[in-house]
Amino acid sequence: MAVSSGEGKTAGQEDPVRREDARQRAGEQGLLFDEQPAALPDDIGYRGPTACAAAGITYRQLDYWARTGLVEPTIRAAHGSGSQRLYSFRDILVLKVVKRLLDTGVSLQQIRTAVQHLRDRGVADLAQITLMSDGVSVYECTSADEVIDLLQGGQGVFGIALGRVWREVEGSLAELPGERAAVEDTVPADHPADELARRRRARRLG
């Protein structure tokens, strides 16, 4: 499984020198769950160009990931000529994570599995997750010990603390335009993809 617990994946946990070195590296990389992000409104949406700016991606990437179902807007999907996608804060957080995983060489297949795993998490839970990757697989860590175990064993060569990404996205969006989602922003139910987006938003707001 692409996203799995980091616990128990390494040997040699009794070596105090290596463990302390791993703890120091984890601290330097900001991977030890020191972020406590504030809750954000659920009904604020961001258009495509804003999502791109906050996530550090191109509009071509945004469009391709939406059309292929990798990261779809959960507030409003594009439907018909002239319509605008509307992304939630959580969507943009995931977009930024996808970009970082791609940059480190993780395969798109592994990223799709990781994204699906993150979709199943509550918003509050995301801030308490650190994703570690060896460039092949992605591991979920929910404690400092799991992060240290992976670093100590050499598996976790790249880490993404979602709490820190949350803060980065929050800071970026503070300087960018957002808009409050209205009832009419709910996409029509006659298109399967649009209905899926509507259900996701209803579940998130429920």
Side-chain angles (χ1 to χ4, degrees):
M1 183 177 181
V3 175
S4 55
S5 170
E7 187 175 1
K9 293 188 180 300
T10 61
Q13 295 180 10
E14 300 304 318
D15 187 334
V17 175
R18 289 182 63 191
R19 191 162 186 80
E20 182 56 35
D21 177 65
R23 181 181 295 277
Q24 184 175 348
R25 283 187 289 142
E28 289 171 352
Q29 295 178 47
L31 303 178
L32 295 182
F33 308 93
D34 58 348
E35 300 289 332
Q36 296 294 329
L40 295 170
D42 290 324
D43 58 348
I44 300 297
Y46 304 91
R47 297 195 177 196
T50 300
C52 290
I57 61 175
T58 67
Y59 194 84
R60 178 175 292 183
Q61 286 175 308
L62 183 81
D63 184 59
Y64 178 72
W65 295 348
R67 287 188 290 105
T68 58
L70 178 60
V71 184
E72 299 172 281
T74 55
I75 292 184
R76 185 173 68 203
H79 55 93
S81 177
S83 64
Q84 291 279 343
R85 298 186 183 103
L86 210 57
Y87 288 82
S88 69
F89 178 91
R90 177 193 175 94
D91 298 334
I92 297 172
L93 177 71
V94 174
L95 286 168
K96 196 172 184 74
V97 170
V98 169
K99 172 66 161 54
R100 291 194 177 180
L101 290 173
L102 282 173
D103 287 346
T104 199
V106 178
S107 73
L108 195 58
Q109 182 179 358
Q110 294 285 350
I111 291 173
R112 284 187 181 278
T113 304
V115 167
Q116 184 57 53
H117 184 79
L118 293 178
R119 281 177 181 156
D120 295 336
R121 289 283 196 170
V123 174
D125 286 343
L126 292 183
Q128 304 305 318
I129 294 173
T130 291
L131 296 180
M132 305 292 289
S133 174
D134 53 11
V136 178
S137 298
V138 180
Y139 305 98
E140 175 193 295
C141 298
T142 55
S143 73
D145 284 342
E146 290 179 358
V147 172
I148 293 166
D149 288 346
L150 283 169
L151 287 173
Q152 181 180 335
Q155 287 178 275
V157 297
F158 177 82
I160 305 173
L162 298 196
R164 291 178 66 87
V165 178
W166 184 301
R167 288 291 193 192
E168 292 171 11
V169 173
E170 189 177 24
S172 297
L173 291 178
E175 306 298 325
L176 294 169
E179 57 188 79
R180 190 168 296 278
V183 174
E184 55 267 25
D185 284 329
T186 303
V187 295
D190 55 354
H191 190 286
D194 295 343
E195 170 66 8
L196 180 61
R198 185 190 65 77
R199 287 180 183 174
R200 283 179 181 153
R201 179 167 179 261
R203 185 166 61 247
R204 177 171 54 82
L205 295 175

